[in-house]
Structures are given as C-alpha cells and as structure tokens.
Amino acid sequence: MPANNCKILNIADALGCGCKQFTPITYGHCSAPKYRLLDQFGEQYFVRLDYPQSRFLLCEKLYSQGALIQEPLAYFGDMGSAAVFRWVEGNTVQSELREKDLKIHQHIEMGMLAAQCLKSIHNCPVETKYLQTDIKDEVDQNLSLINNNSIIFSHKEELCHYIKHNICRRKKVTNIHMDFHAQNMIVLPGLSSVKAIDCENLTISDPWRDFSYSILFHEPYEHLFWYSMILCYFNMKIPCDFWEHCVYYCSLQFIRMLIHEYKRAPGEAQIMADKVANSLYRRLCENNNGRPSWIQKYEVNQAKIIETMKLIGNFEG
C-alpha cells in the first residue's frame, strides 16, 4: 500500500471515526497531497499533507474568532504534517458563476457574500506572535528567485523595476488569505453564505493584497461578481488610492504565482507569464489611476448595482 494511503488510514483511526473511503484531490495548483475522506458515520473531511503547522494554528485562531473559513479539526505532525478540516459542502463560486442561466442579481449577491467572508478574515484581531510578512523582504527574495532561475517574461525589466522601487508602505495590516480567488470560495446551499477554503497561505499583511484576484487574475464572466464584492467590502465608498495600490499588489502577486508555477510546470508558467505581464504593463502605462478597463465599464452602472444590493438586503451602504 502506498505510504500516503497508510497515512490517511492512520489519520482516520486517530480521529476515532474510521475510514470508509478516501479520494485524492487532483485539481488545483498545490503540489502537496490532498484527500477527501469519508468516515464510517458519513462525515466528510478535507485532509492535506505537508501543511505548515503555523498556518494551521492561525486557521484555528481565526475560525474561533468568527472567520468564515473551513473548520480546522486536527493536526498530526507525526503523520506527514497532516491538517484535517471539516469538508465544506457546496459549489465553488467559480462553478456557480459559469452557469449560463445565473441571474445578474445572483452575481451581485454572491459578491456581497464574498465581501462578508473576506471581512470576517480581515476583522479578526491580529496576533503578534504569528509571523507578519515584510513586503520589502518578500520583494527582494522573489526578485532574486526570478533572476537566479533566469525566468524570462515580457517587460521583465520594467515590471521588476516597478516592483522593487514602488513598495507600498500602508500602515494597515490584518490577517489575510493571500489566495482569495473564485475557486477558493464555496457557496453554501441556498446561497446562505460563502466560506473560504485552502487557507495554507494565511499571513499578516496589507488587507488590500487580497484583492489581486478580483482586479486582474480572473475570467471575464467573473467581472460583475468581483466588482460587487469590492463595492460591498468598502460599503459603497471605494478609497481613491485603492486602485493604484492594487496595481502594485497585482504585480507582486504575479511574481509569486510565476515562481510557484515555474517550480511546478515551467512550460505552463511561461505561457501564463507573457499573458499576465503584458496586461500588467498596459495597466502601468495607462493614465487611469490603476483602474482596469472592465472596472470603468461597471462604474458607469454603479448606481444600478448599488440599488440591487439594497433590494437584496444585508448591505450597509
């Protein structure tokens, strides 16, 4: 029997529930082994090996403080550094948004729920004993990895210069998810709530870093969802410097993603690099305070979107 299979069976025994079935999870970009575990009583769990213990402890802390994330249950350092979470039943936001018959108000409502989810993470008290990400150190480390591995992409010199010499120094820091995209959010049945999953990148930094996927790294059919999420998060009053800061954080996220993808699949990383780098460079050259063109389209219809939010309810704007 493969070693990881034995670990999963041992984990089920340690949980005291026994294992009826387990299935490897192969989608996503994480290289660490992941499984969906069904116990003898019908309960389901998400199990990931090689999970950083510091991140699991932060998950426990945030969940206990009301963050809308999947529930952490147990950590087994002697069984492959395995983290066990309660399985979140529902569809990903991305799969819901792909539905062709999804109504406009449903895009907006999911955006509002996603804003509540993100706020629930950002609003948890920051524990100083957990490591805070220093952006300057992160930039220096990531740019060194880019150069040492001779990773090439369009406008590399200009983008790396921009990232190195325009470090955002906002004073605000919170707990952040760092991988807050539509595949990492689960819509609970009945559109009652949205929960964030895959929290192994949790850290402490500027909360605006969690908007990188909402600004750039997503599919066009997600536009209305993300714009609604941003509007709701800021209670209808998006700060004037938000877009400009987010251009920087999108650039920094691009470098992080590129390094991760390069280690996993260099060929795919190169394709992604050129596509995203060209888009980022255009954003830097445009004179629109960092607003992408699709955002400008929805700003024209902002009043209608806000009116729909008020009709849906549970909106503070």
Side-chain angles (χ1 to χ4, degrees):
M1 181 180 294
N4 283 344
N5 291 3
C6 291
K7 290 177 183 176
I8 298 301
L9 294 176
N10 290 336
I11 289 167
D13 289 339
L15 289 170
C17 58
C19 176
K20 182 177 181 180
Q21 180 184 1
F22 65 89
T23 308
I25 298 173
T26 56
Y27 54 83
H29 291 169
C30 178
S31 57
K34 300 182 292 184
Y35 300 88
R36 182 174 184 170
L37 171 65
L38 175 66
D39 74 13
Q40 295 177 350
F41 306 101
E43 292 292 327
Q44 296 187 80
Y45 307 88
F46 171 78
V47 182
R48 210 208 85 169
L49 305 181
D50 302 326
Y51 200 98
Q53 186 174 20
S54 59
R55 295 297 191 273
F56 185 81
L57 293 173
L58 186 51
C59 284
E60 286 188 317
K61 177 65 69 174
L62 297 188
Y63 185 82
S64 70
Q65 294 171 340
L68 295 173
I69 61 175
Q70 61 188 145
E71 181 183 359
L73 296 175
Y75 188 84
F76 300 100
D78 58 344
M79 297 183 192
S81 299
V84 182
F85 297 82
R86 194 176 303 282
W87 185 265
V88 182
E89 197 61 52
N91 296 324
T92 66
V93 164
Q94 188 177 71
S95 65
E96 290 283 337
L97 293 173
R98 281 200 188 110
E99 294 295 325
K100 294 182 180 179
D101 59 348
L102 196 68
K103 307 300 183 184
I104 288 177
H105 73 86
Q106 292 174 305
H107 285 254
I108 295 173
E109 185 171 5
M110 273 194 285
M112 296 168 67
L113 293 174
Q116 294 172 9
C117 176
L118 190 59
K119 277 186 173 183
S120 76
I121 297 171
H122 291 174
N123 289 342
C124 288
V126 173
E127 296 285 345
T128 55
K129 66 179 179 179
Y130 293 111
L131 182 63
Q132 178 175 329
T133 299
D134 184 276
I135 295 179
K136 183 181 184 305
D137 290 346
E138 181 182 347
V139 167
D140 291 342
Q141 180 182 2
N142 287 340
L143 292 183
S144 293
L145 287 170
I146 290 287
N147 292 324
N148 292 341
N149 288 284
S150 301
I151 301 176
I152 305 299
F153 51 89
S154 302
H155 309 294
K156 175 181 176 180
E157 183 176 347
E158 295 91 338
L159 287 172
C160 288
H161 182 273
Y162 168 73
I163 292 170
K164 183 174 183 179
H165 296 283
N166 292 272
I167 295 175
C168 292
R169 301 193 180 279
R170 282 182 6 106
K171 301 294 185 182
K172 179 76 172 178
V173 294
T174 66
N175 303 287
I176 66 172
H177 186 278
M178 279 286 275
D179 205 16
F180 196 72
H181 56 74
Q183 286 181 300
N184 277 348
M185 286 180 268
I186 302 295
V187 183
L188 273 57
L191 202 59
S192 58
S193 181
V194 163
K195 282 196 174 184
I197 61 172
D198 288 356
C199 301
E200 62 263 27
N201 292 305
L202 279 172
T203 188
I204 297 170
S205 191
D206 186 339
W208 288 3
R209 296 188 68 171
D210 270 337
F211 290 92
S212 295
Y213 289 99
S214 63
I215 303 300
L216 183 64
F217 303 104
H218 65 258
E219 299 296 330
Y221 59 78
E222 300 176 27
H223 283 348
L224 178 56
F225 161 79
W226 284 118
Y227 184 67
S228 303
M229 190 276 281
I230 295 168
L231 263 182
C232 187
Y233 181 93
F234 289 112
N235 295 326
M236 195 176 61
K237 300 174 183 177
I238 302 173
C240 58
D241 60 341
F242 170 75
W243 305 109
E244 186 175 352
H245 279 88
C246 282
V247 172
Y248 182 83
Y249 286 138
C250 284
S251 303
L252 184 55
Q253 183 69 9
F254 163 64
I255 295 297
R256 293 181 71 251
M257 291 169 61
L258 179 56
I259 292 170
H260 177 79
E261 288 298 298
Y262 186 81
K263 294 176 181 177
R264 188 183 69 88
E268 294 180 22
Q270 191 62 61
I271 296 172
M272 181 275 288
D274 288 333
K275 178 181 177 181
V276 176
N278 285 325
S279 178
L280 272 174
Y281 186 68
R282 285 196 303 270
R283 291 277 303 283
L284 294 178
C285 294
E286 292 171 352
N287 186 24
N288 57 10
N289 297 320
R291 285 173 170 80
S293 57
W294 70 267
I295 286 288
Q296 297 173 59
K297 169 189 170 184
Y298 284 103
E299 284 184 326
V300 173
N301 297 299
Q302 185 184 100
K304 292 181 179 178
I305 295 172
I306 292 173
E307 186 61 32
T308 301
M309 288 180 170
K310 292 179 178 178
L311 290 173
I312 291 171
N314 202 22
F315 178 56
E316 301 173 12

